[in-house]
Amino acid sequence: MPDPTSLTHLAEVTTGATRSREVPGRLSVFLEDAGHLETLTRRGIGGRKCAFFLPEPVASANQHFTVVGYQGGLGTPGDQLWLDDSFVMEVQSYAVSGFLAVHGPTLLRITGPEDLLALGADAVATRDHGRLPRVATSPLVYLADSPALGWPGDHHLSRRIHVRADATVAVSPTGSPVATLDTLTPGTLSHLAETGAGAETALRAVVADADIERLHHEVPWLPRYLAVVAAVRAARACGAEIDAVSGFGLRLDPQLALEDGTAPAERPVIVRTAEGALVVDPVQGRIVSLDLASATALERQLDGPGDPAGARLTTALASRGFSIGMELAA
C-alpha cells in the first residue's frame, strides 16, 4: 500500500482540493514523461513538501522531495492508475457514475457538458428530495477538479500541475495550458495558487466557462452540495449510516427552509444518523457527534433566527477548528 504522504499528494493532484489550511511550499506534480523531472528541478521547481508522480518506478537521488512511481494514467475515462501492486485508481466520467459498481478507489471526472448536467441533476435531487447519489458519496470515490466547480474553503492553497508529454503545463489533464516547461517558474506557481487562477483553468479543455456559470445559475447551492457530498463521504468512511442531511430534503426544525445557496458552503454539515446526528467540517473532515436536540439547536443557529444553545455549540466547534464564521461564533 502506498505511504500516506503519496496518497495525500495523489488526492491533491487529482481533486485539486486540500484539507490543509496552510501548505507553504507544497506542490503535487504529475508528469507524463519522466524526463521532464530534470527540467523542472533545474528551473527551481521542487522542495521538501513537493511530490513528483513519474511514469516509472524511479528512485530519486534528491532527498528534498518525494518521487512516486506510477503505471497507467488518470486523464481519460477507463484509465487506471497503479501506484503499486496493491493500489489502483479507476477513472470514470461523472455521467456514468449512477451506473457504476464501486470496487476500489475511483476518480470521477467532468469530461464534457453531459457530466455537468448529471452533476446538476444529482444536486437538485439531493436538495429537493434528499436523494444522495450512491456512488458519488462513497468513501472510495473522489471528484476530480472540484475547485473549478465551486469546492468551498481555502482550495486556492492547494498547488498542483500536470505536465503533458509535449511539455505543456496545466493544472489537470482536462485543463487549459498555463505555461510550458520553458516558461514555467516558481513565480508562475505562486500566482496560480494565490489568485485561484489554477482552479479556474482546470476544466477549460473539456467544458466552457459559460457552461459552468449556467450550472451555478440554475443550481446556486452547488458549492454547498459539493460540501455535503464531501461530508457524507467522511462520515461513511467512519462507518456511519446516513439517514439524511440538514438542508437537503429535510430540516431537523421543519420551520427552516432548504438550502438556497446563500449560506457559506464551507460551514459545518449536519448529518442525521440512526443514533442521532453528526456535525462534519466538509473541508477539514472533522466529525463531532451530537444528540438530535443539540443538532437542531445548531441548525437554528446556522440557518435560522438563532438559538442560545446553538450559539454555544458554534463557539465550541470554532474552537476545534470548524469553519463557521466569526459572526456566528461570536
Side-chain angles (χ1 to χ4, degrees):
M1 189 71 179
D3 62 89
T5 297
S6 298
L7 291 177
T8 296
H9 280 281
L10 178 63
E12 292 183 357
V13 83
T14 53
T15 67
T18 179
R19 287 183 174 176
S20 300
R21 294 199 179 280
E22 295 188 18
V23 284
R26 174 172 286 178
L27 179 66
S28 301
V29 182
F30 193 92
L31 300 175
E32 294 183 3
D33 184 337
H36 291 150
L37 175 60
E38 182 180 354
T39 303
L40 285 170
T41 55
R42 190 169 62 246
R43 297 189 64 82
I45 308 299
R48 185 171 59 86
K49 295 184 180 180
C50 296
F52 292 86
F53 290 83
L54 304 182
E56 302 172 9
V58 179
S60 172
N62 189 325
Q63 300 304 310
H64 297 296
F65 53 76
T66 300
V67 172
V68 184
Y70 73 85
Q71 293 178 311
L74 50 67
T76 304
D79 281 352
Q80 290 184 329
L81 182 80
W82 293 78
L83 295 190
D84 57 28
D85 291 337
S86 64
F87 182 91
V88 57
M89 173 178 279
E90 183 177 352
V91 182
Q92 292 293 347
S93 67
Y94 191 95
V96 306
S97 63
F99 307 98
L100 293 177
V102 177
H103 302 293
T106 303
L107 182 68
L108 298 182
R109 282 206 175 280
I110 301 298
T111 61
E114 67 280 1
D115 295 305
L116 291 181
L117 289 174
L119 176 64
D122 281 347
V124 170
T126 302
R127 204 290 297 252
D128 292 351
H129 307 292
R131 292 201 298 265
L132 291 162
R134 176 181 55 85
V135 169
T137 57
S138 166
L140 295 174
V141 172
Y142 305 87
L143 178 61
D145 308 313
S146 52
L149 298 165
W151 168 255
D154 297 329
H155 61 260
H156 59 281
L157 293 177
S158 178
R159 302 205 304 172
R160 58 168 179 158
I161 54 174
H162 184 103
V163 184
R164 299 181 176 121
D166 64 0
T168 300
V169 180
V171 297
S172 76
T174 55
S176 58
V178 296
T180 66
L181 281 182
D182 292 335
T183 61
L184 185 67
T185 66
T188 305
L189 298 176
S190 296
H191 173 76
L192 293 173
E194 292 168 2
T195 65
E200 296 173 1
T201 67
L203 294 173
R204 283 182 177 162
V206 292
V207 291
D209 287 351
D211 291 332
I212 297 179
E213 292 170 3
R214 187 179 305 109
L215 175 60
H216 281 282
H217 177 74
E218 296 172 351
V219 189
W221 62 88
L222 181 64
R224 184 61 174 167
Y225 167 75
L226 296 176
V228 164
V229 169
V232 171
R233 285 186 193 130
R236 285 180 171 166
C238 295
E241 293 292 333
I242 308 302
D243 287 346
V245 178
S246 170
F248 286 78
L250 96 160
R251 285 293 193 180
L252 301 180
D253 181 346
Q255 300 302 311
L256 298 177
L258 298 179
E259 292 281 358
D260 61 5
T262 59
E266 64 269 26
R267 288 189 331 185
V269 175
I270 301 173
V271 178
R272 194 178 71 184
T273 68
E275 293 76 25
L278 300 174
V279 182
V280 186
D281 182 328
V283 178
Q284 303 288 326
R286 296 186 177 98
I287 301 176
V288 172
S289 298
L290 293 178
D291 57 66
L292 281 178
S294 297
T296 303
L298 177 62
E299 181 188 63
R300 294 192 191 105
Q301 178 66 17
L302 293 174
D303 294 293
D307 184 292
R312 292 191 293 272
L313 281 168
T314 59
T315 300
L317 291 172
S319 71
R320 299 183 65 168
F322 279 64
S323 302
I324 291 180
M326 297 305 295
E327 73 282 359
L328 291 174

Coordinates of all heavy atoms in Angstrom, one line a residue, residues 149-220:
L149 N -15.5 23.7 -9.8 CA -16.9 23.5 -9.7 C -17.5 24.3 -8.5 O -18.7 24.3 -8.3 CB -17.3 22.1 -9.6 CG -16.9 21.2 -10.9 CD1 -17.0 19.7 -10.5 CD2 -17.8 21.6 -12.1
G150 N -16.6 24.9 -7.7 CA -17.1 25.6 -6.6 C -16.8 25.0 -5.2 O -17.4 25.4 -4.2
W151 N -15.8 24.1 -5.2 CA -15.5 23.5 -3.9 C -15.2 24.6 -2.9 O -14.4 25.5 -3.2 CB -14.3 22.6 -4.1 CG -13.6 22.1 -2.8 CD1 -12.5 22.6 -2.3 CD2 -14.1 21.2 -1.9 NE1 -12.2 22.0 -1.1 CE2 -13.2 21.1 -0.8 CE3 -15.3 20.3 -1.9 CZ2 -13.4 20.2 0.3 CZ3 -15.4 19.5 -0.8 CH2 -14.5 19.4 0.2
P152 N -15.7 24.4 -1.7 CA -15.6 25.5 -0.7 C -14.3 25.5 0.0 O -13.5 24.5 0.0 CB -16.7 25.2 0.3 CG -16.9 23.7 0.2 CD -16.6 23.4 -1.2
G153 N -14.0 26.6 0.7 CA -12.8 26.7 1.6 C -11.6 27.2 0.9 O -11.7 27.8 -0.2
D154 N -10.5 27.0 1.5 CA -9.2 27.6 1.0 C -8.6 26.7 -0.1 O -7.4 26.4 0.0 CB -8.2 27.8 2.2 CG -8.8 28.8 3.2 OD1 -9.5 29.7 2.8 OD2 -8.5 28.6 4.4
H155 N -9.4 26.4 -1.1 CA -8.8 25.5 -2.1 C -7.7 26.1 -2.9 O -6.9 25.4 -3.5 CB -9.9 25.1 -3.1 CG -10.5 26.2 -3.8 ND1 -11.7 26.8 -3.5 CD2 -10.1 26.9 -4.9 CE1 -12.0 27.8 -4.3 NE2 -11.0 27.9 -5.2
H156 N -7.6 27.4 -2.9 CA -6.5 28.0 -3.7 C -5.1 27.8 -3.1 O -4.1 28.0 -3.8 CB -6.8 29.5 -3.8 CG -6.8 30.2 -2.4 ND1 -7.9 30.2 -1.7 CD2 -5.9 30.9 -1.8 CE1 -7.7 30.9 -0.5 NE2 -6.5 31.3 -0.6
L157 N -5.1 27.3 -1.8 CA -3.8 27.0 -1.2 C -3.2 25.7 -1.8 O -2.0 25.4 -1.6 CB -3.9 26.9 0.3 CG -4.3 28.2 1.0 CD1 -4.5 28.0 2.5 CD2 -3.2 29.3 0.7
S158 N -4.0 24.8 -2.4 CA -3.5 23.6 -2.9 C -2.8 23.9 -4.3 O -3.4 24.5 -5.1 CB -4.7 22.6 -3.1 OG -4.2 21.4 -3.7
R159 N -1.6 23.4 -4.4 CA -0.8 23.7 -5.6 C -0.5 22.4 -6.3 O 0.0 21.4 -5.7 CB 0.4 24.4 -5.3 CG 0.2 25.7 -4.5 CD 1.3 26.7 -4.7 NE 2.6 26.2 -4.3 CZ 3.8 26.8 -4.5 NH1 3.8 27.9 -5.2 NH2 4.9 26.2 -4.1
R160 N -0.8 22.3 -7.6 CA -0.6 21.2 -8.4 C -0.4 21.6 -9.8 O -0.9 22.6 -10.3 CB -1.8 20.2 -8.3 CG -3.1 20.9 -8.8 CD -4.2 19.9 -9.0 NE -5.4 20.6 -9.4 CZ -6.4 20.0 -10.1 NH1 -6.3 18.7 -10.4 NH2 -7.5 20.7 -10.5
I161 N 0.3 20.8 -10.6 CA 0.4 20.9 -12.0 C 0.5 19.6 -12.7 O 0.9 18.6 -12.0 CB 1.7 21.7 -12.4 CG1 3.0 21.1 -11.9 CG2 1.5 23.2 -12.1 CD1 4.2 21.8 -12.4
H162 N 0.0 19.5 -13.9 CA 0.1 18.3 -14.7 C 0.9 18.7 -16.0 O 0.5 19.6 -16.8 CB -1.3 17.9 -15.1 CG -1.4 16.6 -15.9 ND1 -1.8 15.5 -15.3 CD2 -1.1 16.3 -17.2 CE1 -1.8 14.5 -16.2 NE2 -1.4 15.0 -17.4
V163 N 2.0 18.0 -16.2 CA 2.9 18.2 -17.3 C 2.7 17.1 -18.3 O 3.0 16.0 -18.1 CB 4.4 18.3 -16.8 CG1 5.3 18.6 -18.0 CG2 4.6 19.3 -15.7
R164 N 2.2 17.6 -19.5 CA 1.9 16.6 -20.5 C 3.1 16.2 -21.3 O 4.2 16.8 -21.1 CB 0.9 17.2 -21.5 CG -0.5 17.6 -20.9 CD -1.5 18.2 -21.8 NE -2.7 18.4 -21.2 CZ -3.4 19.6 -21.1 NH1 -2.8 20.7 -21.6 NH2 -4.5 19.7 -20.5
A165 N 3.0 15.1 -22.0 CA 4.2 14.6 -22.7 C 4.8 15.6 -23.7 O 6.0 15.6 -23.9 CB 3.8 13.3 -23.5
D166 N 4.0 16.6 -24.2 CA 4.5 17.6 -25.1 C 5.1 18.8 -24.4 O 5.4 19.8 -25.0 CB 3.5 18.0 -26.1 CG 2.3 18.7 -25.4 OD1 2.3 18.9 -24.2 OD2 1.3 19.1 -26.2
A167 N 5.3 18.7 -23.1 CA 5.8 19.7 -22.2 C 4.9 20.9 -22.0 O 5.3 21.9 -21.4 CB 7.2 20.3 -22.8
T168 N 3.6 20.7 -22.3 CA 2.6 21.7 -21.9 C 2.3 21.5 -20.5 O 2.1 20.4 -20.0 CB 1.4 21.6 -22.8 OG1 1.7 21.7 -24.2 CG2 0.3 22.6 -22.4
V169 N 2.1 22.6 -19.7 CA 1.8 22.6 -18.3 C 0.4 23.1 -18.1 O 0.0 24.2 -18.6 CB 2.8 23.5 -17.5 CG1 2.4 23.4 -16.0 CG2 4.2 23.0 -17.7
A170 N -0.4 22.3 -17.4 CA -1.8 22.6 -17.0 C -1.9 22.3 -15.5 O -1.0 21.8 -14.9 CB -2.8 21.9 -17.8
V171 N -3.1 22.5 -14.9 CA -3.3 22.1 -13.5 C -3.9 20.7 -13.5 O -3.9 20.1 -12.4 CB -4.1 23.1 -12.7 CG1 -3.4 24.5 -12.6 CG2 -5.5 23.3 -13.3
S172 N -4.4 20.3 -14.6 CA -5.1 18.9 -14.6 C -5.1 18.5 -16.1 O -4.9 19.2 -17.0 CB -6.5 19.0 -14.1 OG -7.4 19.6 -15.0
P173 N -5.4 17.2 -16.3 CA -5.4 16.7 -17.7 C -6.5 17.3 -18.5 O -6.5 17.3 -19.7 CB -5.7 15.2 -17.5 CG -5.3 14.8 -16.1 CD -5.5 16.1 -15.3
T174 N -7.6 17.8 -17.8 CA -8.7 18.5 -18.5 C -8.5 20.0 -18.5 O -9.5 20.7 -18.9 CB -10.0 18.1 -17.8 OG1 -9.9 18.4 -16.4 CG2 -10.3 16.6 -18.0
G175 N -7.4 20.5 -18.1 CA -7.2 22.0 -18.0 C -6.6 22.6 -19.2 O -6.0 21.9 -20.1
S176 N -6.8 23.9 -19.4 CA -6.1 24.6 -20.4 C -4.7 24.9 -20.0 O -4.4 25.0 -18.8 CB -6.9 25.9 -20.7 OG -7.0 26.7 -19.5
P177 N -3.8 25.1 -21.0 CA -2.4 25.4 -20.7 C -2.2 26.7 -19.8 O -2.9 27.7 -20.1 CB -1.7 25.5 -22.0 CG -2.6 24.8 -23.0 CD -4.0 25.0 -22.5
V178 N -1.3 26.6 -18.9 CA -1.0 27.8 -18.1 C 0.5 28.2 -18.3 O 0.9 29.3 -17.9 CB -1.2 27.5 -16.6 CG1 -2.7 27.3 -16.3 CG2 -0.4 26.4 -16.0
A179 N 1.3 27.3 -18.9 CA 2.7 27.5 -19.2 C 3.2 26.4 -20.0 O 2.5 25.4 -20.3 CB 3.5 27.7 -17.9
T180 N 4.5 26.4 -20.3 CA 5.2 25.3 -20.9 C 6.4 25.1 -20.0 O 6.7 26.0 -19.1 CB 5.7 25.6 -22.3 OG1 6.7 26.7 -22.3 CG2 4.6 26.0 -23.2
L181 N 7.1 24.0 -20.1 CA 8.3 23.8 -19.3 C 9.4 24.9 -19.5 O 10.1 25.2 -18.6 CB 9.0 22.4 -19.7 CG 8.3 21.2 -19.1 CD1 9.1 19.9 -19.4 CD2 8.2 21.3 -17.5
D182 N 9.4 25.5 -20.7 CA 10.4 26.6 -20.9 C 10.0 27.9 -20.3 O 10.9 28.7 -20.1 CB 10.5 26.8 -22.5 CG 11.2 25.6 -23.1 OD1 11.9 24.9 -22.5 OD2 10.9 25.4 -24.4
T183 N 8.7 28.1 -19.9 CA 8.3 29.3 -19.4 C 7.9 29.2 -17.9 O 7.7 30.2 -17.2 CB 7.1 29.9 -20.1 OG1 6.0 29.0 -20.1 CG2 7.5 30.2 -21.6
L184 N 7.8 28.0 -17.4 CA 7.3 27.8 -16.0 C 8.4 28.2 -15.0 O 9.5 27.9 -15.1 CB 7.0 26.3 -15.8 CG 6.4 25.9 -14.4 CD1 5.0 26.5 -14.3 CD2 6.3 24.4 -14.3
T185 N 7.9 29.0 -14.0 CA 8.8 29.4 -13.0 C 8.1 29.3 -11.6 O 6.9 29.1 -11.6 CB 9.2 30.9 -13.1 OG1 8.0 31.7 -12.9 CG2 9.8 31.2 -14.5
P186 N 8.9 29.3 -10.5 CA 8.2 29.3 -9.2 C 7.2 30.5 -9.0 O 6.2 30.3 -8.4 CB 9.4 29.5 -8.2 CG 10.5 28.8 -8.9 CD 10.3 29.2 -10.4
G187 N 7.5 31.6 -9.7 CA 6.5 32.7 -9.6 C 5.2 32.4 -10.3 O 4.2 32.8 -9.8
T188 N 5.3 31.6 -11.4 CA 4.0 31.2 -12.0 C 3.2 30.4 -11.1 O 2.0 30.6 -11.0 CB 4.4 30.3 -13.3 OG1 5.2 31.1 -14.2 CG2 3.1 30.0 -14.0
L189 N 3.8 29.4 -10.4 CA 3.1 28.6 -9.4 C 2.5 29.4 -8.3 O 1.4 29.2 -7.9 CB 4.0 27.5 -8.9 CG 4.6 26.6 -9.9 CD1 5.6 25.6 -9.2 CD2 3.5 25.8 -10.6
S190 N 3.2 30.4 -7.8 CA 2.7 31.2 -6.7 C 1.5 32.0 -7.2 O 0.5 32.2 -6.5 CB 3.8 32.2 -6.3 OG 4.9 31.5 -5.7
H191 N 1.6 32.5 -8.4 CA 0.4 33.3 -9.0 C -0.8 32.4 -9.1 O -1.9 32.8 -8.7 CB 0.8 33.8 -10.4 CG -0.4 34.5 -11.1 ND1 -0.9 35.7 -10.7 CD2 -1.2 34.0 -12.1 CE1 -1.9 36.0 -11.5 NE2 -2.1 35.0 -12.3
L192 N -0.6 31.2 -9.6 CA -1.8 30.2 -9.7 C -2.4 29.9 -8.4 O -3.6 29.8 -8.2 CB -1.3 28.9 -10.4 CG -0.9 29.0 -11.8 CD1 -0.3 27.7 -12.3 CD2 -2.1 29.5 -12.7
A193 N -1.5 29.7 -7.3 CA -2.0 29.4 -6.0 C -2.7 30.6 -5.3 O -3.8 30.4 -4.7 CB -0.9 28.9 -5.1
E194 N -2.0 31.7 -5.4 CA -2.5 32.9 -4.6 C -3.8 33.5 -5.2 O -4.6 34.1 -4.5 CB -1.4 33.9 -4.5 CG -0.2 33.4 -3.6 CD 1.0 34.3 -3.8 OE1 0.9 35.3 -4.5 OE2 2.0 34.0 -3.2
T195 N -3.9 33.5 -6.5 CA -5.1 34.1 -7.1 C -6.2 33.1 -7.4 O -7.3 33.6 -7.7 CB -4.6 34.7 -8.5 OG1 -4.3 33.7 -9.4 CG2 -3.5 35.7 -8.3
G196 N -6.0 31.8 -7.3 CA -7.0 30.9 -7.6 C -7.2 30.6 -9.1 O -8.1 29.9 -9.5
A197 N -6.3 31.2 -9.9 CA -6.3 31.1 -11.3 C -6.2 29.6 -11.8 O -6.8 29.2 -12.7 CB -5.3 31.9 -12.0
G198 N -5.4 28.8 -11.0 CA -5.3 27.4 -11.3 C -6.6 26.7 -11.3 O -6.9 25.9 -12.2
A199 N -7.4 27.0 -10.3 CA -8.7 26.3 -10.2 C -9.6 26.7 -11.4 O -10.3 25.8 -11.9 CB -9.4 26.7 -8.9
E200 N -9.5 27.9 -11.8 CA -10.4 28.4 -12.9 C -10.1 27.7 -14.2 O -10.9 27.6 -15.1 CB -10.2 29.9 -13.0 CG -10.7 30.7 -11.8 CD -10.4 32.1 -11.9 OE1 -9.8 32.5 -13.0 OE2 -10.7 32.9 -11.0
T201 N -8.8 27.2 -14.4 CA -8.4 26.7 -15.7 C -8.6 25.1 -15.8 O -8.4 24.6 -16.8 CB -7.0 27.0 -16.0 OG1 -6.1 26.3 -15.1 CG2 -6.7 28.5 -15.9
A202 N -9.0 24.5 -14.7 CA -8.9 23.1 -14.5 C -9.8 22.3 -15.5 O -9.5 21.1 -15.7 CB -9.1 22.6 -13.1
L203 N -10.8 22.9 -16.0 CA -11.8 22.2 -16.8 C -11.9 22.8 -18.2 O -12.8 22.4 -19.0 CB -13.2 22.1 -16.2 CG -13.3 21.3 -14.9 CD1 -14.6 21.5 -14.3 CD2 -13.0 19.8 -15.2
R204 N -11.1 23.8 -18.5 CA -11.3 24.6 -19.8 C -11.0 23.8 -21.0 O -11.4 24.2 -22.1 CB -10.5 25.9 -19.7 CG -11.1 26.9 -18.8 CD -10.3 28.2 -18.8 NE -11.0 29.2 -18.0 CZ -10.4 30.3 -17.5 NH1 -9.1 30.5 -17.8 NH2 -11.1 31.1 -16.8
A205 N -10.4 22.7 -21.0 CA -10.1 21.9 -22.2 C -11.3 21.0 -22.5 O -11.4 20.5 -23.6 CB -8.9 21.0 -22.0
V206 N -12.3 20.9 -21.6 CA -13.4 20.0 -21.9 C -14.8 20.6 -21.8 O -15.8 20.2 -22.3 CB -13.4 18.8 -20.9 CG1 -12.2 17.9 -21.2 CG2 -13.4 19.2 -19.4
V207 N -14.9 21.7 -21.0 CA -16.2 22.5 -20.9 C -15.9 24.0 -20.9 O -14.9 24.4 -20.5 CB -17.0 22.1 -19.6 CG1 -17.5 20.7 -19.7 CG2 -16.2 22.3 -18.4
A208 N -16.9 24.7 -21.4 CA -16.7 26.2 -21.5 C -17.1 26.8 -20.1 O -17.9 26.3 -19.4 CB -17.6 26.7 -22.5
D209 N -16.4 27.9 -19.8 CA -16.8 28.6 -18.6 C -18.2 29.0 -18.5 O -18.9 28.9 -17.5 CB -16.0 29.9 -18.5 CG -14.5 29.7 -18.2 OD1 -14.1 28.5 -17.9 OD2 -13.7 30.7 -18.2
A210 N -18.8 29.3 -19.7 CA -20.2 29.6 -19.7 C -21.1 28.5 -19.3 O -22.2 28.7 -18.7 CB -20.6 30.0 -21.2
D211 N -20.7 27.2 -19.6 CA -21.5 26.1 -19.1 C -21.5 25.9 -17.6 O -22.5 25.6 -17.0 CB -21.0 24.8 -19.8 CG -21.2 24.7 -21.3 OD1 -22.2 25.3 -21.7 OD2 -20.4 24.1 -22.0
I212 N -20.3 26.2 -17.0 CA -20.2 26.1 -15.6 C -21.0 27.3 -14.9 O -21.7 27.1 -13.9 CB -18.7 26.2 -15.1 CG1 -18.0 24.9 -15.7 CG2 -18.6 26.2 -13.6 CD1 -16.5 24.9 -15.3
E213 N -20.9 28.5 -15.5 CA -21.7 29.6 -15.0 C -23.2 29.3 -15.1 O -23.9 29.7 -14.2 CB -21.3 30.8 -15.8 CG -19.9 31.3 -15.5 CD -19.5 32.4 -16.5 OE1 -20.3 32.8 -17.3 OE2 -18.3 32.8 -16.5
R214 N -23.6 28.7 -16.2 CA -25.0 28.4 -16.3 C -25.5 27.4 -15.2 O -26.6 27.5 -14.7 CB -25.3 27.8 -17.7 CG -26.8 27.6 -18.0 CD -27.0 27.0 -19.4 NE -26.3 27.9 -20.4 CZ -25.2 27.6 -21.1 NH1 -24.7 26.4 -20.9 NH2 -24.7 28.4 -22.0
L215 N -24.6 26.4 -15.0 CA -24.9 25.4 -13.9 C -25.1 26.1 -12.6 O -26.0 25.8 -11.8 CB -23.8 24.3 -13.9 CG -24.0 23.3 -12.8 CD1 -25.3 22.5 -12.9 CD2 -22.8 22.3 -12.8
H216 N -24.2 27.0 -12.2 CA -24.3 27.7 -11.0 C -25.5 28.6 -10.9 O -26.1 28.8 -9.8 CB -23.0 28.5 -10.7 CG -21.9 27.7 -10.2 ND1 -21.8 27.3 -8.9 CD2 -20.8 27.2 -10.9 CE1 -20.6 26.6 -8.8 NE2 -20.0 26.6 -10.0
H217 N -25.9 29.2 -12.0 CA -27.1 30.0 -12.1 C -28.4 29.1 -11.8 O -29.3 29.5 -11.1 CB -27.3 30.7 -13.4 CG -28.5 31.5 -13.6 ND1 -28.7 32.7 -12.9 CD2 -29.7 31.2 -14.3 CE1 -29.9 33.1 -13.2 NE2 -30.5 32.3 -14.0
E218 N -28.4 27.9 -12.4 CA -29.5 27.0 -12.3 C -29.5 26.3 -10.9 O -30.6 26.0 -10.4 CB -29.5 26.0 -13.4 CG -29.7 26.6 -14.8 CD -29.6 25.6 -15.9 OE1 -29.1 24.5 -15.6 OE2 -29.8 26.0 -17.1
V219 N -28.4 26.1 -10.4 CA -28.2 25.3 -9.1 C -27.3 26.2 -8.2 O -26.1 25.8 -8.0 CB -27.6 23.9 -9.3 CG1 -27.7 23.1 -8.0 CG2 -28.3 23.2 -10.5
P220 N -27.8 27.2 -7.6 CA -27.0 28.1 -6.8 C -26.4 27.5 -5.6 O -25.4 28.0 -5.0 CB -27.9 29.3 -6.5 CG -29.3 28.8 -6.6 CD -29.2 27.8 -7.7

